């Protein structure tokens, strides 16, 4: 049985940093693209960052230069390092494993994490 367990959310002030982790069991994800989504109240779920099986990364314009996605295949763990956090980063964050090795999009997501809340105060 595949399970994704997320950790690292919290309540912080603007300018602070957080590191989000997503640990997988029942699956070796070295062959799959992975990503982080977020969803704020009244907003659609959006892709924040993704990483291919080969390590190529993508970032939404809103987080480029502030967030860093990485993966440790030996530990079956995905990370999102968030720095210079802004109130508009407030959302529930979800890790995702794609069916593809190259792209992450909502329609291609194979497995979702349970989601963790990040709240940034001004």
């Amino acid at each position: 049985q595949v399970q994704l367990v997320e950790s690292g959310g919290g309540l912080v002030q603007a300018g602070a940093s957080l590191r989000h982790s997503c640990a997988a069991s029942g699956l070796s994800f070295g062959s799959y693209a992975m990503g982080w989504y977020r969803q704020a109240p009244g907003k659609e779920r959006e892709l924040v960052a993704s990483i291919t099986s080969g390590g190529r990364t993508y970032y939404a314009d809103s987080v480029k230069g502030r967030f860093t996605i990485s993966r440790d295949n030996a530990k079956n763990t995905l990370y999102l390092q968030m720095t210079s956090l802004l109130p508009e980063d407030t959302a529930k964050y979800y890790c995702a494993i794609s069916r593809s090795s190259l792209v992450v999009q909502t329609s291609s997501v194979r497995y979702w994490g349970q989601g963790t809340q990040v709240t940034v105060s001004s």
Side-chain angles (χ1 to χ4, degrees):
Q1 183 177 355
V2 174
Q3 186 175 5
L4 303 180
V5 179
E6 298 182 35
S7 62
L11 172 63
V12 299
Q13 293 184 338
S17 299
L18 286 172
R19 189 169 80 156
H20 239 82
S21 299
C22 176
S25 61
L27 176 73
S28 296
F29 56 42
S31 297
Y32 303 101
M34 300 183 292
W36 290 96
Y37 284 81
R38 68 184 182 189
Q39 188 167 25
K43 302 288 187 178
E44 292 187 352
R45 188 171 297 186
E46 64 173 344
L47 180 65
V48 174
S50 64
I51 184 167
T52 69
S53 63
R56 189 72 171 267
T57 58
Y58 158 84
Y59 298 95
D61 288 342
S62 59
V63 306
K64 195 171 296 182
R66 299 188 297 116
F67 290 11
T68 302
I69 188 171
S70 61
R71 61 194 294 164
D72 187 333
N73 292 337
K75 296 181 178 179
N76 260 12
T77 302
L78 177 71
Y79 302 97
L80 184 68
Q81 178 67 48
M82 300 176 285
T83 62
S84 301
L85 283 162
L86 301 169
E88 45 263 51
D89 295 319
T90 296
K92 195 167 187 178
Y93 284 71
Y94 302 84
C95 64
I97 299 177
S98 177
R99 294 182 177 92
S100 170
S101 64
L102 297 176
V103 299
V104 177
Q105 54 186 308
T106 303
S107 62
S108 70
V109 171
R110 184 178 181 183
Y111 301 107
W112 293 95
Q114 83 278 6
T116 54
Q117 181 68 35
V118 172
T119 301
V120 184
S121 62
S122 59

